Amino acid sequence: MGGFHSVPQDHRYRDLADKTGFSLEQIGNLHNRFKQLSHNEDTLRKDDFNKIPDLACNPIRAQIIEAFFDKRNFQSHGGGTVEEIGFEEFITVMSYFRPPSLNMSEEQREELRRVKLRFLFNMHDTDNDGTITLEEYRHVVEELLSRSGALCRETAKGIADAAMLEVASISMGHMEPDEFYEGITFEHFLTILKGIEIESRMHIRFLNVDTTVLCK
Amino acid sequence: MSALLRAAGGPHRSLGRRWSLLVAVFILSVMASSVAASVVRTGQRNGTTIHTDSKTNGTSHHTKKAFPVLSINYDYVRMPFEISLWILLASLMKLGFHLVPRLSGVVPESCLLIVVGLLVGGLIKLMGEHPPVLDSKLFFLCLLPPIILDAGYFLPIRPFTENAGTILMFAVVGTLWNAFFVGLVLYGVCQATGEELGEVGLLACLIFGSIVSAVDPVAVLAVFEDIQINELLHIIVFGESLLNDAVTVVLYHLFEEFANAGTVTLVDACLGMACFLVVSLGGILVGAIYGVLGAFTSRFTSHTRVIEPLFVFLYSYMAYLSAEVFHLSGIMSLISCGVVMRPYVEANVSHKSYTTIKYFLKMWSSVSETLIFVFLGVSTVAGPHSWNWTFIIVTIFLCLLSRVLGVVGLTLIINRFRIVKLTGKDQFIVAYGGLRGAIAFSLVFLLPEDHFPMKNMFLTAIITVVFFTVFVQGMTIRPLVELLAVKRKKDTKHSINEEIHIQFLDHLLTGIEDVCGHYGHHHWKDKLSRFNKSYVKRWLIAGERSTEPQLISFYHKLELKQALMLLETGGAAANVSMQNIQPRRPSPERLIPHMPKGREEEIRKILRANLQNTRQRLRSYSRHTLFEDPLEEEEEDFSEVQMRKKRVEMHRRMSHYLTVPAKPETPPARRVRFESDNQVFGSTPTSTPSSRFQVSLVPSIQVTRAPMARMEQMSQESVSLVDESSQQQDSEGKGATGSDGSLGTELNVIRGETDNLRLPRCFSDPGPNKIDEEDEDEEEHFMS
């Protein structure tokens, strides 16, 4: 961890710790990583993310990077994207991946689930109209399969269509032939993903030990 | 007997009938076994008489005997006959239990089987015969491997690897703690009480402790299958029972050696630890090697599909035996062989072979399990016993105590490293689910008499512990689970949305870990799967299946299942269809009136009525599963499915022609018709009109694995047509897809697809459009 703490930074860390729920050591580590990625500048740009070598073989890399620059994830009111982010936004996005704590009441779990699913929803809903349209969903599936190489778009379309059909039939029940299902709203999204326990799945382990030395 | 069976289906007094049937089955089997026992005696006598007869015949030559019309030679078939009889008996018992649902709901099967074993053993003893004891060699070489292979082959990998740390902790540290605690305290008690117990040495106690402390996979499987507990707990207890075999083997051999040697040094203890590593890792390695061999072999079996399952079984069994040769952990070897082999074998092997493998494994493991429990009961009656109240009571008490302490203590440590912590309820179930079983019993049997003079006492104690855990814990765990409201197993399989998002989450979390700079669980998993895809799969999987990503195969399987469901239920009208989700052009003008619903219904009714025959045939195909296998998917013969798929497609196209009022096929009308069905209107001038008129209904057949791909392609083609003509500013500009829309399958018809299946007979009606060659070919194929 080292003696990176000067008094104002420590104060800031505490604020962030209260806001996001990380511990002070974790914030310190993440700050080191931030500095490493941004080459000691104050803000991160998309290019900096692109330079992470491990991320290169990730099929949904673009969406992940987008998520960091998406204002909706900053827990402030507003949409759109920004060009560069500071440490506070970085750590706010990271806080979506915190694990649930041991003694959480049912409502807290539910709230956590909503928050995490909202993050996922924002990742899919690129035009910020509150619904995931068929096009957007198709894009998601295509990106997911994009690294597989040989497969053509048709299969991806088929999968996305089938998935959309499923959402529609679960959420809307019976639909008349001339009714039109606009897209997956957040509530529908919550319903269809009720089965997988997001709050237990969507987390990574934030270490209290500094690992930035070990990786690029 | 058969009349009774037939009559047993009556609604009234069915329970009474079932009871009488059960009793009849039981009596029959008991009679069979007693007959076997007596036949043994008489058969031997008869065999000798015939033998002497022939001898006298040979020597005297003039003693004329009547030609024996009927003679008995039991010796000839003795061994296989008895084995088959036992297996038959066990299976009949199993059959009997399931006829009485109330009983099987309350008492787990294992208990009932042990009781049956006790009864049979008692009967045989009454007849004066010596009841057979569970031969350890038979147990370890024949009865145990199928169960372990079944467990290992179908091991759910994901939860296992996610909880690997926890499982290993429980298996290794937990078993060690149990062994030493029980052994040492028991020794203390023995010394304290003195008298005959005082002779029990420290090593004897330790070896007894190590045998009695191992959780038994057979018992755990038998009981946990019934109660359907949630995946996490199931995999923790079950994984522990599998992995602690290495510990048990090492401890057992270690203490046996020490008992021979007489003294223990520190070097020996260190060697013991090294031995543990060798045993476990060596076992895994041996299994992995055989697994890779098996996967490689399965790559070339495309011409000899019939023996594919045999390779799976043989390679696995060889892995087990090879590990046993070197005193490595056979169980771990078997597990790792199954785990390594499975993904590649499943990709290579035909559907029928896959089904065969699954069902054979289930069958063998079920038979083995039944036999084990029955023999346990019989051996109880047979075995030499020496009952010692103190020893036995103390043993049972210590087992429970050490288990509880071990689980609680370990959980405190483990929870610091786990993200999803184990709650108190979980701990209770883990502690309570630590059942002992036949492995412990067999291990005690293997103890050499000379070093362990109190072997009989151990035997009695072990049997009592096993009985206690299986009966008391096995019977009470179900009501306890319900009382504590422990989370149960999730029944449903993942929907496609869930599957997509699980994959999405995997990549997302890997990406976030990379951003964080932290090489965690996801990172390594991702690396492994990429390595798997680029190198290993190419070697071990035949053909182009090696590049198919998981989502695609999941989707194909899902499509297959839906098609089957469709067929079996006769196709209930789906609530939502493609047209509901397709973005529509806002212009609402319809150029052709929609066909009145009544007419559509009529047509559908006619078609539905014609379908009855086909459906009858299909229904008789439904299978009864032996077990509720959560991983089981419905599969069918591929060619049959393909036939059906083609039929469905054809019918869709037909219904398209039928649902639209037949206008003379003038090109404008045709254009209009297609347009109206697609709800795409002439207001889009710039899109290429020619593409719309293309009547090539079927795009070039792409060689995809699942026949369903064609159907989805149809739906996709129409969708892509909509894209093209609807002229949206597709952000991706995907409108210009190469393959043009198949106009035949437009959206109205896709709704029809989810309706009833039409018969090919309909094709005798010439469609209003000329069907192109491809359709004709298919028609031919169908009609013939």
Side-chain angles (χ1 to χ4, degrees):
Chain A
M1 259 193 342
F4 271 68
H5 303 280
S6 56
V7 174
Q9 231 175 356
D10 208 19
H11 185 59
R12 224 185 118 200
Y13 278 14
R14 203 149 288 140
D15 282 342
L16 286 174
D18 291 332
K19 188 174 160 214
T20 57
F22 283 121
S23 72
L24 288 177
E25 297 89 15
Q26 287 169 338
I27 296 184
N29 289 322
L30 287 171
H31 200 148
N32 288 341
R33 179 65 177 166
F34 182 83
K35 285 206 170 74
Q36 197 182 30
L37 288 176
S38 68
H39 307 290
N40 279 325
E41 288 176 34
D42 277 334
T43 56
L44 269 181
R45 259 174 242 100
K46 287 191 191 170
D47 290 335
D48 298 320
F49 279 100
N50 284 332
K51 291 208 199 97
I52 305 176
D54 295 315
L55 212 49
C57 18
N58 199 316
I60 55 170
R61 176 171 74 130
Q63 278 131 323
I64 296 178
I65 298 178
E66 272 305 316
F68 273 94
F69 293 89
D70 189 342
K71 267 206 212 155
R72 290 173 293 178
N73 295 331
F74 296 160
Q75 290 175 2
S76 56
H77 300 285
T81 58
V82 293
E83 281 306 315
E84 38 184 50
I85 54 171
F87 180 58
E88 186 164 341
E89 286 86 21
F90 181 75
I91 205 165
T92 312
V93 172
M94 282 299 187
S95 72
Y96 283 99
F97 295 94
R98 288 192 61 247
S101 43
L102 182 54
N103 36 10
M104 265 188 147
S105 67
E106 203 44 51
E107 299 93 48
Q108 284 175 320
R109 277 188 181 269
E110 187 61 41
E111 186 50 41
L112 191 62
R113 198 178 303 156
R114 282 186 83 96
V115 164
K116 293 192 190 238
L117 282 176
R118 186 83 222 178
F119 183 82
L120 281 183
F121 189 81
N122 290 342
M123 279 185 89
H124 296 329
D125 182 20
T126 43
D127 57 1
N128 196 13
D129 60 355
T131 58
I132 305 178
T133 61
L134 185 62
E135 278 312 311
E136 288 167 344
Y137 210 5
R138 275 192 197 147
H139 183 63
V140 169
V141 177
E142 271 177 24
E143 287 297 301
L144 208 51
L145 297 174
S146 59
R147 293 284 158 165
S148 323
L151 279 314
C152 49
R153 278 210 210 105
E154 308 308 328
T155 327
K157 267 198 201 156
I159 294 177
D161 293 343
M164 198 75 172
L165 266 175
E166 195 184 56
V167 179
S169 56
I170 290 178
S171 324
M172 307 285 278
H174 184 78
M175 283 180 81
E176 293 303 313
D178 42 357
E179 275 183 82
F180 176 58
Y181 182 63
E182 292 292 333
I184 309 179
T185 62
F186 185 55
E187 291 308 319
H188 295 168
F189 195 67
L190 280 178
T191 322
I192 57 169
L193 290 185
K194 214 170 22 184
I196 47 178
E197 292 183 359
I198 278 283
E199 71 272 13
S200 326
R201 269 187 199 263
M202 183 165 151
H203 58 75
I204 67 170
R205 190 189 291 279
F206 288 101
L207 296 180
N208 291 334
V209 186
D210 196 353
T211 54
T212 50
V213 205
L214 301 170
C215 25
K216 302 171 280 249
Chain B
M1 185 71 186
S2 55
L4 192 60
L5 279 168
R6 246 179 276 131
H12 291 303
R13 298 183 289 267
S14 61
L15 196 59
R17 284 216 165 97
R18 281 201 196 136
W19 270 110
S20 50
L21 179 62
L22 176 62
V23 169
V25 162
F26 180 67
I27 292 179
L28 187 74
S29 40
V30 167
M31 272 179 3
S33 66
S34 55
V35 161
S38 58
V39 162
V40 171
R41 261 178 296 149
T42 51
Q44 278 171 345
R45 250 182 279 128
N46 268 353
T48 46
T49 45
I50 290 178
H51 185 63
T52 47
D53 270 349
S54 59
K55 252 215 271 196
T56 49
N57 258 349
T59 48
S60 54
H61 280 296
H62 47 263
T63 327
K64 185 150 193 297
K65 240 171 84 280
F67 185 76
V69 177
L70 188 65
S71 54
I72 296 180
N73 184 0
Y74 182 66
D75 251 353
Y76 184 61
V77 296
R78 173 148 177 228
M79 178 73 129
F81 189 86
E82 288 185 346
I83 295 177
S84 310
L85 201 63
W86 275 109
I87 300 182
L88 187 64
L89 197 111
S91 313
L92 283 173
M93 285 297 112
K94 215 176 154 75
L95 197 70
F97 298 144
H98 287 284
L99 288 176
V100 190
R102 218 177 30 183
L103 196 62
S104 54
V106 169
V107 185
E109 216 174 74
S110 38
C111 304
L112 291 172
L113 287 170
I114 293 185
V115 168
V116 165
L118 285 172
L119 288 171
V120 171
L123 262 165
I124 294 185
K125 203 155 194 180
L126 279 178
M127 321 254 325
E129 290 291 327
H130 189 73
V133 187
L134 184 59
D135 182 20
S136 287
K137 199 161 149 201
L138 176 77
F139 174 73
F140 278 113
L141 292 183
C142 298
L143 291 181
L144 191 59
I147 302 179
I148 304 295
L149 180 60
D150 180 41
Y153 197 78
F154 293 111
L155 194 69
I157 292 297
R158 213 195 156 102
F160 188 76
T161 49
E162 280 174 10
N163 296 299
T166 314
I167 293 176
L168 276 172
M169 273 290 264
F170 277 123
V172 177
V173 181
T175 312
L176 279 173
W177 154 259
N178 279 350
F180 280 103
F181 183 75
V182 171
L184 289 172
V185 176
L186 209 55
Y187 179 63
V189 167
C190 285
Q191 297 298 25
T193 49
E195 340 158 340
E196 52 177 277
L197 282 184
E199 298 162 2
V200 179
L202 176 64
L203 271 175
C205 280
L206 281 175
I207 207 175
F208 181 73
S210 66
I211 293 176
V212 89
S213 62
V215 178
D216 187 78
V218 179
V220 164
L221 259 180
V223 167
F224 271 49
E225 274 292 317
D226 282 340
I227 61 180
Q228 297 280 306
I229 210 165
N230 71 12
E231 208 175 45
L232 173 69
L233 289 177
H234 185 252
I235 199 71
I236 288 180
V237 181
F238 184 59
E240 178 198 346
S241 68
L242 289 176
L243 293 187
N244 68 13
D245 178 61
V247 180
T248 316
V249 164
V250 170
L251 282 178
Y252 184 80
H253 286 298
L254 205 67
F255 290 137
E256 220 182 359
E257 282 300 314
F258 291 165
N260 285 340
T263 54
V264 182
T265 64
L266 190 62
V267 178
D268 291 329
C270 290
L271 282 179
M273 268 193 287
C275 182
F276 167 70
L277 285 174
V278 166
V279 161
S280 48
L281 294 177
I284 295 178
L285 189 68
V286 167
I289 293 175
Y290 275 99
V292 168
L293 279 176
F296 191 63
T297 312
S298 74
R299 188 180 165 188
F300 302 106
T301 56
S302 47
H303 298 292
T304 43
R305 292 278 184 203
V306 188
I307 53 172
E308 274 172 339
L310 200 60
F311 284 117
V312 172
F313 303 140
L314 284 176
Y315 275 111
S316 314
Y317 194 47
M318 292 286 287
Y320 179 75
L321 294 175
S322 309
E324 287 290 329
V325 166
F326 298 104
H327 279 303
L328 303 174
S329 165
I331 289 184
M332 290 181 84
S333 153
L334 205 49
I335 301 274
S336 79
C337 181
V339 162
V340 168
M341 197 167 34
R342 185 183 180 196
Y344 310 109
V345 163
E346 280 192 1
N348 281 330
V349 135
S350 72
H351 269 243
K352 277 189 181 155
S353 298
Y354 171 71
T355 312
T356 310
I357 293 175
K358 189 162 60 166
Y359 273 91
F360 260 85
L361 280 178
K362 295 281 176 213
M363 181 185 79
W364 273 331
S365 69
S366 162
V367 166
S368 276
E369 195 181 294
T370 316
L371 274 176
I372 287 177
F373 283 118
V374 167
F375 266 115
L376 210 55
V378 172
S379 308
T380 313
V381 175
H385 290 302
S386 98
W387 184 270
N388 185 316
W389 277 102
T390 334
F391 191 75
I392 292 176
I393 302 281
V394 169
T395 309
I396 295 181
F397 176 68
L398 279 179
C399 282
L400 285 175
L401 184 66
S402 75
R403 177 87 182 151
V404 168
L405 286 178
V407 167
V408 169
L410 281 176
T411 315
L412 282 177
I413 305 176
I414 288 173
N415 267 348
R416 262 194 240 139
F417 297 100
R418 277 182 73 88
I419 301 196
V420 180
K421 319 251 181 227
L422 292 174
T423 65
K425 261 193 251 174
D426 296 337
Q427 291 172 40
F428 175 74
I429 296 290
V430 171
Y432 208 66
L435 305 172
R436 288 17 176 214
I439 292 186
F441 179 78
S442 311
L443 281 176
V444 169
F445 233 81
L446 283 177
L447 285 175
E449 275 273 2
D450 40 349
H451 290 289
F452 299 98
M454 68 301 296
K455 180 175 159 181
N456 291 340
M457 190 171 68
F458 284 176
L459 214 60
T460 317
I462 267 279
I463 288 187
T464 319
V465 171
V466 170
F467 269 47
F468 180 81
T469 55
V470 171
F471 278 90
V472 173
Q473 287 180 237
M475 278 207 272
T476 54
I477 200 168
R478 189 201 286 265
L480 277 173
V481 159
E482 284 171 16
L483 192 70
L484 293 175
V486 180
K487 258 187 297 188
R488 294 308 197 81
K489 191 187 283 205
K490 200 165 69 89
D491 286 331
T492 55
K493 296 259 290 267
H494 285 146
S495 68
I496 192 152
N497 278 296
E498 290 176 349
E499 184 70 25
I500 290 177
H501 278 95
I502 288 173
Q503 299 246 326
F504 189 82
L505 263 180
D506 273 343
H507 290 297
L508 175 65
L509 292 174
T510 314
I512 296 286
E513 274 189 0
D514 291 332
V515 169
C516 238
H518 163 62
Y519 285 166
H521 185 227
H522 294 275
H523 180 93
W524 293 117
K525 199 156 61 134
D526 191 54
K527 266 219 164 91
L528 182 67
S529 75
R530 260 185 285 139
F531 170 73
N532 191 16
K533 187 153 62 164
S534 31
Y535 298 109
V536 184
K537 273 192 180 171
R538 257 194 231 137
W539 279 103
L540 298 179
I541 298 187
E544 75 278 359
R545 282 202 214 162
S546 50
T547 51
E548 200 175 67
Q550 189 200 346
L551 189 59
I552 307 280
S553 14
F554 177 86
Y555 178 60
H556 285 318
K557 285 197 189 120
L558 195 69
E559 286 283 328
L560 267 172
K561 203 159 44 136
Q562 277 180 354
L564 292 175
M565 231 170 34
L566 210 57
L567 296 170
E568 293 211 351
T569 62
N575 295 331
V576 179
S577 55
M578 280 302 295
Q579 68 192 33
N580 291 114
I581 63 175
Q582 284 312 311
R584 224 185 335 181
R585 283 278 76 182
S587 28
E589 233 179 270
R590 287 170 161 276
L591 299 176
I592 286 202
H594 196 53
M595 194 166 79
K597 284 231 162 81
R599 175 112 177 89
E600 261 189 60
E601 260 317 302
E602 250 179 67
I603 294 176
R604 285 211 198 97
K605 248 186 246 154
I606 296 171
L607 296 172
R608 202 179 300 163
N610 286 331
L611 186 58
Q612 291 303 338
N613 297 337
T614 322
R615 214 185 305 163
Q616 304 294 9
R617 188 179 66 83
L618 290 175
R619 193 149 284 152
S620 63
Y621 190 75
S622 74
R623 245 183 270 122
H624 295 286
T625 53
L626 281 175
F627 286 90
E628 250 93 277
D629 182 6
L631 302 175
E632 185 168 26
E633 297 169 321
E634 290 173 72
E635 296 135 13
E636 272 210 26
D637 187 333
F638 235 62
S639 58
E640 264 195 321
V641 173
Q642 272 183 338
M643 287 276 284
R644 254 182 251 126
K645 295 283 165 51
K646 286 188 181 162
R647 254 184 252 152
V648 172
E649 287 175 292
M650 300 310 282
H651 283 300
R652 267 193 293 127
R653 260 181 261 134
M654 251 342 266
S655 73
H656 150 61
Y657 300 136
L658 290 173
T659 53
V660 181
K663 272 217 165 167
E665 42 289 2
T666 60
R670 194 193 301 175
R671 180 200 322 162
V672 159
R673 171 169 50 225
F674 287 143
E675 279 181 350
S676 72
D677 291 336
N678 281 338
Q679 290 148 11
V680 172
F681 299 97
S683 49
T684 59
T686 54
S687 48
T688 51
S690 54
S691 65
R692 257 188 260 144
F693 293 145
Q694 221 163 326
V695 194
S696 73
L697 295 175
V698 175
S700 54
I701 299 179
Q702 289 180 304
V703 180
T704 51
R705 190 155 73 88
M708 205 59 192
R710 284 193 59 211
M711 199 146 127
E712 80 217 20
Q713 250 167 11
M714 304 274 235
S715 53
Q716 287 146 31
E717 296 318 288
S718 57
V719 161
S720 65
L721 170 68
V722 173
D723 282 347
E724 286 173 17
S725 47
S726 53
Q727 234 195 354
Q728 288 160 349
Q729 46 277 28
D730 285 334
S731 44
E732 301 87 7
K734 284 191 296 205
T737 43
S739 39
D740 270 348
S742 75
L743 302 178
T745 60
E746 32 61 20
L747 306 168
N748 232 356
V749 176
I750 292 174
R751 182 157 64 114
E753 145 204 343
T754 58
D755 285 343
N756 302 312
L757 204 45
R758 332 285 189 188
L759 273 186
R761 210 184 301 172
C762 295
F763 286 122
S764 50
D765 306 325
N769 283 343
K770 70 166 182 325
I771 306 174
D772 73 335
E773 304 82 47
E774 223 144 358
D775 282 359
E776 267 171 346
D777 281 349
E778 285 179 346
E779 242 186 302
E780 234 71 276
H781 176 63
F782 258 5
M783 298 304 219
S784 55

